[in-house]
Every structure is written in C-alpha cells, then in structure tokens.
Amino acid sequence: TQLLEQSPQFLSIQEGENLTVYCNSSSVFSSLQWYRQEPGEGPVLLVTVVTGGEVKKLKRLTFQFGDARKDSSLHITAAQTGDTGLYLCAGGGNAGNMLTFGGGTRLMVKP
Amino acid sequence: GAGVSQSPSNKVTEKGKDVELRCDPISGHTALYWYRQRLGQGLEFLIYFQGNSAPDKSGLPSDRFSAERTGESVSTLTIQRTQQEDSAVYLCASSLATRQGLMNTEAFFGQGTRLTVV
C-alpha cells in the first residue's frame, strides 16, 4: 500500500485550462515536495512545503500543504504545453527519514 | 561531479543474463535511492541507503535484485537472470543526510539507465 496517493493518475487538458492535482496520505509528513519529470529526464524538484496550511506560488503553479500535513495540492493556472510531464509528490520525515514518492500524475497539455 | 551520474545510459540484454547498473551520487550526499520506472508509470521504490545504516531493501521485487553501496560513494544495482518484465528505466537519486524531525532535503536524480531485456 502506497503511503502517498496521487489523483488523478492521468490528465489530458487543452492549453489555457486550469487544473488541480492532489496528493493524499493517512500519515503525517514533516515536509512535502513536488517534482516534475519530463520525458527522458529524472524528476526535478519544484517546491518544498513544511508548515501546515502553507501556500507557495511558483509563477502559474500554486502549492498547498494541508493543515494536518497529510495532504497537498498543486494547482496550475492557464496550463501551457510546456507543463506537460509527470508530477510527483514526495513526503519526508516519515518511514525512517526516507523520501516516499506518490505514484505520480501524468499531465498532457494539448495545444 | 556536478550531478548524479548513472551508467550505462542504455542497456540491452538477453533474457537470463545478469546486469549491473551503476550510480555515482553527488559528493557528500549520504542518502541514496534506487527506483524503477516502467513506461508511462510512476516511480517504484527499490532500495534506500543512508550513511552506514542498514539499507531499506523493502522495495526489491525479488531475490534476483540486489544493491550495494560502499560508504557514501558509488552504488551498484545488480539484476540476476533478467526477465522481460525487468525492462524499465532505473533511476538513482541522492540527497544530503537527514535526521529525525528535520526537513528532508532535495533529492537529485540521475537521468536513469534504460534497460531492455530481449
């Protein structure tokens, strides 16, 4: 059983649309990270959130950490084709200090 | 080196052969992870090394899989008697040491080794 569940698993939208990706767990994490992976590359860190209720913005991307530090969301405004990729959340401070990754959300933004 | 380096970048092997994949982490990073990623899928955890602690091998799918790491340096992932279902990209990541209660630092990934078993 995965500690972190991401939804949806796949998402295909048109350029300009908004979307939200969710990362949920029954466990508490001391930190939550979001990564993006493009084809042929390894995942790259986008953001780290550490405080319950924290909101961070990165251009058109808004990340939120749940008050109880068990869940997180990523909202993309006015998606662009360059946003296409696999989005992964990763929880830290649990499971022996190991980073635990969710299963990922594969996003396709069509022109 | 500047980043996590994995070799080879591509490996094609015949079913039943053994393969060895190599990961050079970023210097000073005590934590090292191996993941498997099948085509179009997310990351599947394989094994985690943290300094001199016993590795977390809970993700290894069978006894054909093993990994070693000497100190805080290079790690090798070995797959014995490869099967077609082993075909995937194998990703390695490293990060700075973490302690209980502290925020985990960023994981830096290599570009992976694409393994094809024919």
Side-chain angles (χ1 to χ4, degrees):
Chain A
T1 303
Q2 261 186 328
L3 282 177
L4 283 169
E5 297 285 343
Q6 288 190 240
S7 61
Q9 288 185 291
F10 301 96
L11 188 57
S12 180
I13 61 172
Q14 294 295 132
E15 197 169 28
E17 291 184 5
N18 301 331
L19 68 118
T20 302
V21 173
Y22 299 93
C23 175
N24 296 301
S25 175
S26 57
S27 302
V28 175
F29 291 96
S30 61
S31 66
L32 203 297
Q33 298 177 340
W34 283 93
Y35 291 76
R36 179 169 68 205
Q37 182 183 27
E38 298 183 15
E41 302 291 328
V44 175
L45 181 69
L46 294 174
V47 78
T48 300
V49 285
V50 298
T51 305
E54 181 176 1
V55 177
K56 279 193 175 179
K57 291 192 174 183
L58 187 65
K59 296 183 180 177
R60 294 173 296 100
L61 278 60
T62 302
F63 305 85
Q64 184 163 9
F65 202 9
D67 291 341
R69 291 186 285 124
K70 293 182 179 181
D71 53 81
S72 181
S73 64
L74 158 59
H75 182 78
I76 302 179
T77 304
Q80 300 177 354
T81 55
D83 295 328
T84 292
L86 177 68
Y87 289 81
L88 296 155
C89 65
N94 206 339
N97 292 323
M98 189 178 72
L99 269 181
T100 302
F101 279 85
T105 293
R106 192 163 295 278
L107 172 66
M108 168 76 75
V109 182
K110 300 176 183 177
Chain B
V4 177
S5 177
Q6 291 187 246
S7 61
S9 54
N10 283 282
K11 176 72 176 178
V12 180
T13 189
E14 291 182 351
K15 178 180 173 181
K17 300 280 189 182
D18 297 352
V19 294
E20 191 173 277
L21 312 181
R22 177 186 170 107
C23 173
D24 283 88
I26 292 173
S27 178
H29 282 193
T30 59
L32 187 146
Y33 305 78
W34 281 99
Y35 294 93
R36 179 168 68 181
Q37 187 172 37
R38 293 200 164 98
L39 186 63
Q41 302 298 313
L43 301 183
E44 179 186 356
F45 166 73
L46 296 177
I47 190 168
Y48 167 63
F49 295 91
Q50 172 60 282
N52 294 320
S53 301
D56 181 340
K57 303 181 181 180
S58 60
L60 295 178
S62 76
D63 58 9
R64 296 187 296 105
F65 288 72
S66 62
E68 291 185 352
R69 187 184 188 197
T70 304
E72 299 178 1
S73 61
V74 171
S75 176
T76 55
L77 176 68
T78 302
I79 308 174
Q80 295 178 309
R81 304 181 302 281
T82 52
Q83 303 294 314
Q84 288 186 327
E85 64 260 27
D86 299 335
S87 296
V89 174
Y90 289 82
L91 287 163
C92 174
S94 71
S95 70
L96 287 170
T98 63
R99 286 183 293 145
Q100 190 70 31
L102 293 182
M103 180 182 73
N104 287 87
T105 57
E106 178 179 356
F108 293 83
F109 284 82
Q111 291 196 310
T113 293
R114 182 174 298 279
L115 175 66
T116 304
V117 182
V118 297

